[in-house]
Amino acid sequence: MKEITRREFLRGGAAMALGLAASSLLPLLSGCGVEGPGAVVPTETPVPTPEMSPIPTFSPDAVLYETTVGMTNCYSAPGEPEDAFLGAIPDGVQAEYLREDGEDTLLRLPGGMEVWVSSWMIDPVDEDLRAKRDASRLSKALGRERFLEFESRPLYTCAGAQVACRTLPEEEARTVFMLSPGSQVTVYGREGDFYYCKLPIGRFAYAPVKVLFCDSAYRTLNGAVDLRMYLPEAEFELLFASRNNITGEALYPPIPMMEESTAAHLRQAYEIFRADGYTIKVYDAYRPKSAQFKLYDAVQNGWFIANPYNGNSWHQLGRAIDMSLIDLKTGKELVMPTPMHTFSNDAARFNSKQWSDVVRENMEYMTNIMLSCGFTLLTTEWWHFQYEGAGGSMQVDLKLDELDAHPVWEYKEA
């Protein structure tokens, strides 16, 4: 490879600049330093546009890539070493692919200069090759050992200011994109403390779990809290808010509300679980009475679903939770006696002698923590806990989607 100095890079890009100058764009080569990966700091005096000369053609068998994500930093060596920074080129510049080294690609630019760029910042010009490359990257990410793929592709909203998205689910991994507050991403799954996301620009990267939420807003109600904000690293799969339940229909909006005194005791348990390496997975919290009627009519068994014709369950008061636990190391749910909301005696605690030792240990661990934090249980359901202590209660048939909504980035805990 021909060694290229930064000065040569800035002064020797005449052939590359021709097409851009003809389009009345800014000088092709700009910047002389970086504040962080992907960020270019322009010089006080703009770099002049090199003298024009005809653009050379690439060989017929050359594989061409093009820059597609803003200004692309170029280096004289792979790995983005600071002392190897050369400058930056804008979108739409085509170059010949030479080879890859880790996360970087060596390109031959028009004019013959060879530079290293982040592979994430460029795309094959050939659409078929691009599709194969994207499919390979996605398959590799989904196939990672610790990756927990989501069954759906939920839309999450960024609640942080300029959040760094990375090439790997690691804090030290290379930053390739910055998410602004309110921007939305499609989440494919989770690995550790990161979600694997499709970004607004169509690229994939890892973003921190703690700043992404599965609704663009949280809801407020006097005397209650939205558990998505109150338990920021819990997981939520509200089965009765989806079609994945015995009725085959979504019974209420996916908004996990809870009476505030109950939520305070739940957070005590949440913090203990977190310290032990687990987090709560919420399957149901407040359940409107209209949903209770539909469930009871479908099950027709007061042993498993409280009869709403005779009164209210703890869920209608916002003082109950149906839950399980996630192992933070693996991202997987602990093995429990049955799947969630299995309306059978197999889920009853009095049948614990039929469970394996591992299942019994998991259920007893969860139960002991919840009891120590003031909750009581039902013998018929291993997943259900309720708080019967002092505090208020919610209205029994709220329309959750009519509660006041606020952007998640405005959330401030009282």
Side-chain angles (χ1 to χ4, degrees):
M1 170 182 173
K2 179 183 176 182
E3 292 292 333
I4 300 294
T5 66
R6 180 177 178 279
R7 180 179 296 275
E8 290 170 328
F9 181 87
L10 294 174
R11 296 180 58 187
M16 284 189 297
L18 177 59
L20 295 168
S23 302
S24 300
L25 296 179
L26 293 175
L28 172 65
L29 306 174
S30 63
C32 63
V34 288
E35 289 184 332
V40 177
V41 181
T43 55
E44 293 183 3
T45 303
V47 178
T49 303
E51 185 179 347
M52 298 301 106
S53 63
I55 297 178
T57 58
F58 297 104
S59 62
D61 59 346
V63 177
L64 299 183
Y65 275 61
E66 64 181 353
T67 54
T68 57
V69 185
M71 299 296 289
T72 299
N73 287 351
C74 300
Y75 299 82
S76 61
E80 300 189 349
E82 290 186 9
D83 58 358
F85 176 72
L86 297 172
I89 53 178
D91 286 354
V93 173
Q94 294 189 359
E96 181 180 357
Y97 169 89
L98 298 179
R99 63 186 175 89
E100 294 184 8
D101 185 336
E103 297 182 41
D104 300 285
T105 297
L106 180 63
L107 298 177
R108 180 179 290 123
L109 302 174
M113 290 184 294
E114 296 179 6
V115 297
W116 289 95
V117 301
S118 168
S119 300
W120 197 89
M121 305 291 288
I122 57 176
D123 275 332
V125 173
D126 181 82
E127 291 186 3
D128 290 339
L129 182 58
R130 181 183 303 186
K132 290 180 180 178
R133 190 278 309 268
D134 292 346
S136 175
R137 287 182 174 177
L138 181 59
S139 176
K140 184 177 180 180
L142 301 185
R144 288 170 61 90
E145 184 177 355
R146 295 181 61 236
F147 187 82
L148 178 65
E149 185 176 3
F150 290 178
E151 292 183 4
S152 61
R153 298 284 186 260
L155 200 63
Y156 279 56
T157 301
C158 177
Q162 297 302 311
V163 174
C165 298
R166 305 180 185 276
T167 55
L168 292 170
E170 303 165 359
E171 288 291 345
E172 62 273 16
R174 182 179 299 176
T175 297
V176 288
F177 191 79
M178 302 298 290
L179 276 177
S180 57
S183 55
Q184 293 186 315
V185 299
T186 302
V187 176
Y188 278 62
R190 176 173 179 168
E191 184 168 346
D193 292 329
F194 291 83
Y195 287 132
Y196 188 59
C197 308
K198 189 173 185 179
L199 303 176
I201 59 172
R203 295 289 177 85
F204 289 89
Y206 291 90
V209 167
K210 62 185 178 181
V211 297
L212 295 180
F213 297 89
C214 59
D215 193 355
S216 61
Y218 71 97
R219 307 296 173 132
T220 58
L221 176 69
N222 287 336
V225 300
D226 187 328
L227 291 178
R228 293 170 298 185
M229 303 292 104
Y230 199 66
L231 309 178
E233 295 187 7
E235 293 196 9
F236 298 87
E237 186 179 351
L238 304 180
L239 295 183
F240 298 138
S242 74
R243 295 168 59 188
N244 187 23
N245 63 70
I246 195 170
T247 69
E249 64 174 304
L251 302 179
Y252 55 82
I255 302 172
M257 301 297 293
M258 180 172 281
E259 185 271 328
E260 60 184 359
S261 59
T262 306
H265 285 267
L266 180 61
R267 184 144 80 175
Q268 294 177 17
Y270 165 82
E271 291 173 349
I272 295 172
F273 290 133
R274 289 284 302 173
D276 289 346
Y278 305 97
T279 194
I280 291 173
K281 183 167 185 177
V282 179
Y283 282 100
D284 196 22
Y286 173 76
R287 185 190 307 160
K289 193 161 187 175
S290 57
Q292 191 76 6
F293 278 115
K294 291 183 178 181
L295 280 170
Y296 182 79
D297 290 344
V299 177
Q300 289 291 314
N301 191 328
W303 184 260
F304 301 119
I305 293 291
N307 185 345
Y309 297 97
N310 295 335
N312 300 310
S313 78
W314 291 100
H315 282 288
Q316 272 84 79
L317 303 178
R319 295 170 67 94
I321 183 173
D322 293 344
M323 60 176 282
S324 185
L325 295 176
I326 300 290
D327 187 331
L328 292 174
K329 291 182 179 179
T330 65
K332 296 182 178 180
E333 192 168 345
L334 296 188
V335 180
M336 290 295 182
T338 66
M340 180 60 56
H341 296 147
T342 299
F343 302 116
S344 74
N345 286 332
D346 293 337
R349 295 173 182 275
F350 52 72
N351 281 329
S352 62
K353 292 182 179 179
Q354 301 177 18
W355 303 338
S356 69
D357 291 342
V358 172
V359 165
R360 189 181 303 107
E361 289 174 4
N362 290 341
M363 189 275 296
E364 289 179 350
Y365 164 73
M366 179 175 70
T367 298
N368 290 337
I369 298 299
M370 294 298 288
L371 294 180
S372 72
C373 293
F375 287 85
T376 58
L377 51 78
L378 291 181
T379 59
T380 54
E381 299 175 350
W382 61 262
W383 55 76
H384 176 99
F385 298 93
Q386 59 201 37
Y387 178 66
E388 302 178 26
S393 61
M394 296 172 61
Q395 296 179 31
V396 299
D397 202 18
L398 287 168
K399 296 185 183 302
L400 292 172
D401 54 355
E402 295 182 1
L403 297 179
D404 289 341
H406 305 268
V408 292
W409 54 90
E410 290 183 0
Y411 179 76
K412 292 182 179 179
E413 190 173 317

